[in-house]
Amino acid sequence: LQIPYDPAEMAELRRFVRTAIGQEKDPALMARAMERYLQTKLSYSLELPQAGGADPLLHFMTKAQSGHCEYFAGAMVMMLRSEGIPARVVTGYVGGEYNSESRYFTVRQ
């Protein structure tokens, strides 16, 4: 649940989250509202504006509102954590088909 922001940055994050979830109190509905907000109010782009000295993730959420998938994943985690909902970003591959004859896994996605 840690958020490495100073008090001013936390206030900025809280304002952003309140805009996304309104008065919602149910954690599942808050998460859905956050997801919907990120999908509809921010846009995907590989062209990233410079954040200057600001935290890049907070800059993405509150100023640039355009970024790539890692920014969206990080934003969701920080939004959830700010509401006391444990969250983390996980990447990598899961599963695959094991070929016992040749002794290897085929990972298709």
Side-chain angles (χ1 to χ4, degrees):
L1 290 176
Q2 293 179 344
I3 301 175
Y5 290 156
D6 65 33
E9 291 170 324
M10 271 308 291
E12 193 171 8
L13 175 62
R14 287 233 176 247
R15 281 191 299 277
F16 181 80
V17 171
R18 284 286 130 213
T19 301
I21 66 172
Q23 298 302 312
E24 188 56 63
K25 299 291 184 211
D26 178 81
L29 296 177
M30 281 195 287
R32 289 207 174 121
M34 291 173 190
E35 178 184 27
R36 197 169 32 256
Y37 189 85
L38 291 173
Q39 288 175 338
T40 59
K41 302 297 183 186
L42 282 68
S43 60
Y44 183 85
S45 176
L46 295 177
E47 301 294 322
L48 303 176
Q50 295 297 318
D55 175 81
L57 189 55
L58 193 56
H59 179 76
F60 159 71
M61 290 187 278
T62 61
K63 307 267 185 320
Q65 298 192 326
S66 179
H68 53 71
C69 53
E70 287 89 353
Y71 279 92
F72 280 90
M76 186 71 176
V77 165
M78 295 307 274
M79 293 171 75
L80 289 165
R81 286 181 178 184
S82 76
E83 292 299 315
I85 302 169
R88 64 182 172 154
V89 175
V90 178
T91 63
Y93 295 97
V94 69
E97 299 169 18
Y98 186 69
N99 182 322
S100 57
E101 239 176 77
S102 300
R103 298 182 4 201
Y104 67 86
F105 282 93
T106 301
V107 178
R108 300 190 188 283
Q109 293 185 7

